[in-house]
Amino acid sequence: NSIHLGFFYLHHSSLEAKQTEYLEMSNLISTIFANKLNVDDRVPVLSVSLGGHDWGLYPPHIMFWVQLLVGVVIIATFTVLMASITYFVIIPRKRSMISFVVGFGIIIPLCILHFPFWVLNTLDIRNYLLRFTISAIYPVLTMFHTTEAIFGYSPSSVEYSYKNYILYYVAAVETQFDNTTNRPVQATRDDMIQSLKSFGSWLLILGSYK
């Protein structure tokens, strides 16, 4: 009896700890998305008057990028789950009734019609760009990747391993694979520097518009 009682207290304490962690995480996410970002209240760091118009250079809105990162992580995590189902259930049974039912009956409807809108409503996201990113980019990618898996058109290098398929399925940009080793081709240092420069320049250019 003492053993069972001790196990009960241990299980109860573990359950309470998990509930506390869940509440803390929920409160943190609610705090992050408290700013609806539907009003641009940035103050220009530099402003000039040209042709009777005021032009300003505005700094990036930190909370926008934080919310974008959190939103993408939530959607990407769900996408990993869908990719796992696709890899282990659909790909071994291409063009079969099971692949059609799972793909067109479960995965695609969840990704297109349910989960993105559940996230938008739960987090009360009102910023148009954030809504577009969460409800359009990953759901559309998921639809295409799932459809090509159903009909057997996924690249052979992608189906070589579970890791390859997850990377291919979740990546919002195209991933290049080596046809000989079936491994992802690693970006060079120059490529990464060039990408960072391009991102930084466009961040300043687009951020200056209000």
Side-chain angles (χ1 to χ4, degrees), residues 83-124:
S84 301
I85 297 174
T86 302
Y87 184 79
F88 290 110
V89 177
I90 294 179
I91 289 180
R93 303 169 179 84
K94 301 171 185 176
R95 300 175 181 268
S96 68
M97 183 58 66
I98 293 178
S99 67
F100 281 101
V101 171
V102 174
F104 292 121
I106 299 177
I107 295 179
I108 292 179
L110 280 176
C111 294
I112 297 295
L113 303 175
H114 177 69
F115 188 73
F117 298 101
W118 178 82
V119 173
L120 294 178
N121 294 330
T122 302
L123 301 180
D124 191 21

Side-chain angles (χ1 to χ4, degrees), residues 146-162:
T146 303
T147 302
E148 70 179 5
I150 293 173
F151 291 100
Y153 292 120
S154 298
S156 58
S157 297
V158 168
E159 298 181 359
Y160 178 76
S161 68
Y162 174 69

Side-chain angles (χ1 to χ4, degrees), residues 119-138:
V119 173
L120 294 178
N121 294 330
T122 302
L123 301 180
D124 191 21
I125 298 176
R126 302 178 188 178
N127 181 273
Y128 289 126
L129 185 55
L130 288 176
R131 292 179 66 88
F132 172 79
T133 303
I134 292 175
S135 64
I137 297 178
Y138 271 103

Side-chain angles (χ1 to χ4, degrees), residues 1-15:
N1 291 334
S2 60
I3 295 177
H4 290 295
L5 186 61
F7 175 78
F8 171 77
Y9 282 127
L10 179 62
H11 177 72
H12 184 67
S13 300
S14 176
L15 183 60

Side-chain angles (χ1 to χ4, degrees), residues 138 141 145 148 154-159 161-179 182-187:
Y138 271 103
L141 287 174
H145 290 327
E148 70 179 5
S154 298
S156 58
S157 297
V158 168
E159 298 181 359
S161 68
Y162 174 69
K163 180 180 178 181
N164 282 8
Y165 194 75
I166 292 296
L167 179 61
Y168 170 76
Y169 200 98
V170 175
V173 295
E174 184 179 359
T175 303
Q176 183 178 356
F177 291 88
D178 190 300
N179 293 328
N182 291 318
R183 293 182 178 180
V185 178
Q186 186 174 1

